[in-house]
Amino acid sequence: MLRKDAGLRIRVDRDLREAFVEACRSHDMAASEVLREFMRSYTQQANSQAGQLPLPLNKENDFK
């Protein structure tokens, strides 16, 4: 497991945040885990569409 070396702070509507956190809880997942998985997937998809090599992003690199 890698150490956390960067953060991302975003502002969202309170209702959206609460709905997101509740959806994560209902699937027994941390919101941060869901966001990291989304970022991996989105980055790999965007890179493949742009013809770039995918980054080596996997769950073993999660920060907990």
Side-chain angles (χ1 to χ4, degrees):
M1 186 170 13
L2 295 177
R3 291 185 62 199
K4 182 177 178 180
D5 64 355
L8 177 67
R9 187 170 186 166
I10 61 171
R11 300 196 53 83
V12 297
D13 178 76
R14 184 179 310 270
D15 292 338
L16 174 61
R17 181 196 177 279
E18 290 174 4
F20 177 70
V21 169
E22 185 57 36
C24 293
R25 283 185 189 137
S26 72
H27 288 94
D28 197 29
M29 297 181 75
S32 58
E33 181 181 352
V34 174
L35 289 172
R36 281 191 296 271
E37 183 59 36
F38 168 77
M39 292 172 74
R40 271 188 220 96
S41 175
Y42 183 84
T43 301
Q44 289 175 341
Q45 180 184 11
N47 285 344
S48 69
Q49 288 176 355
Q52 298 175 355
L53 293 175
L55 297 174
L57 303 173
N58 55 48
K59 287 188 176 186
E60 286 104 38
N61 293 337
D62 272 0
F63 311 120
K64 296 189 181 194

PDB file of all heavy atoms in Angstrom, residues 3 12 24 56 61 63:
ATOM      1  N   ARG A   3       1.768   5.303   0.434  1.00  0.00           N
ATOM      2  CA  ARG A   3       1.360   6.395   1.315  1.00  0.00           C
ATOM      3  C   ARG A   3       0.649   7.452   0.509  1.00  0.00           C
ATOM      4  O   ARG A   3       0.963   7.700  -0.649  1.00  0.00           O
ATOM      5  CB  ARG A   3       2.589   6.995   1.981  1.00  0.00           C
ATOM      6  CG  ARG A   3       3.219   6.042   2.967  1.00  0.00           C
ATOM      7  CD  ARG A   3       4.342   6.672   3.695  1.00  0.00           C
ATOM      8  NE  ARG A   3       3.818   7.807   4.445  1.00  0.00           N
ATOM      9  CZ  ARG A   3       4.564   8.795   4.897  1.00  0.00           C
ATOM     10  NH1 ARG A   3       5.852   8.788   4.693  1.00  0.00           N
ATOM     11  NH2 ARG A   3       4.040   9.783   5.558  1.00  0.00           N
ATOM     12  N   VAL A  12     -19.150  20.447  -3.652  1.00  0.00           N
ATOM     13  CA  VAL A  12     -20.347  19.922  -4.287  1.00  0.00           C
ATOM     14  C   VAL A  12     -21.563  20.329  -3.462  1.00  0.00           C
ATOM     15  O   VAL A  12     -21.445  20.689  -2.282  1.00  0.00           O
ATOM     16  CB  VAL A  12     -20.313  18.381  -4.432  1.00  0.00           C
ATOM     17  CG1 VAL A  12     -19.185  17.938  -5.340  1.00  0.00           C
ATOM     18  CG2 VAL A  12     -20.211  17.696  -3.093  1.00  0.00           C
ATOM     19  N   CYS A  24     -22.604   5.009  -1.036  1.00  0.00           N
ATOM     20  CA  CYS A  24     -21.365   4.278  -0.735  1.00  0.00           C
ATOM     21  C   CYS A  24     -21.559   3.388   0.475  1.00  0.00           C
ATOM     22  O   CYS A  24     -21.162   2.212   0.462  1.00  0.00           O
ATOM     23  CB  CYS A  24     -20.213   5.250  -0.507  1.00  0.00           C
ATOM     24  SG  CYS A  24     -19.720   6.158  -1.979  1.00  0.00           S
ATOM     25  N   PRO A  56      -0.282   2.649 -14.896  1.00  0.00           N
ATOM     26  CA  PRO A  56      -0.384   1.455 -14.055  1.00  0.00           C
ATOM     27  C   PRO A  56      -1.168   1.756 -12.787  1.00  0.00           C
ATOM     28  O   PRO A  56      -0.611   1.929 -11.714  1.00  0.00           O
ATOM     29  CB  PRO A  56       1.074   1.106 -13.757  1.00  0.00           C
ATOM     30  CG  PRO A  56       1.768   2.416 -13.811  1.00  0.00           C
ATOM     31  CD  PRO A  56       1.047   3.220 -14.866  1.00  0.00           C
ATOM     32  N   ASN A  61      -2.677   0.187  -5.081  1.00  0.00           N
ATOM     33  CA  ASN A  61      -2.130   1.510  -4.782  1.00  0.00           C
ATOM     34  C   ASN A  61      -3.084   2.358  -3.965  1.00  0.00           C
ATOM     35  O   ASN A  61      -2.847   3.539  -3.766  1.00  0.00           O
ATOM     36  CB  ASN A  61      -1.792   2.246  -6.085  1.00  0.00           C
ATOM     37  CG  ASN A  61      -0.645   1.577  -6.814  1.00  0.00           C
ATOM     38  OD1 ASN A  61       0.157   0.871  -6.220  1.00  0.00           O
ATOM     39  ND2 ASN A  61      -0.577   1.791  -8.110  1.00  0.00           N
ATOM     40  N   PHE A  63      -5.018   4.116  -0.922  1.00  0.00           N
ATOM     41  CA  PHE A  63      -4.582   4.667   0.374  1.00  0.00           C
ATOM     42  C   PHE A  63      -5.727   4.447   1.333  1.00  0.00           C
ATOM     43  O   PHE A  63      -6.851   4.812   1.053  1.00  0.00           O
ATOM     44  CB  PHE A  63      -4.312   6.168   0.257  1.00  0.00           C
ATOM     45  CG  PHE A  63      -3.442   6.517  -0.921  1.00  0.00           C
ATOM     46  CD1 PHE A  63      -3.908   7.354  -1.913  1.00  0.00           C
ATOM     47  CD2 PHE A  63      -2.162   6.015  -1.036  1.00  0.00           C
ATOM     48  CE1 PHE A  63      -3.123   7.686  -2.982  1.00  0.00           C
ATOM     49  CE2 PHE A  63      -1.371   6.343  -2.100  1.00  0.00           C
ATOM     50  CZ  PHE A  63      -1.848   7.183  -3.088  1.00  0.00           C
TER      51      PHE A  63
END
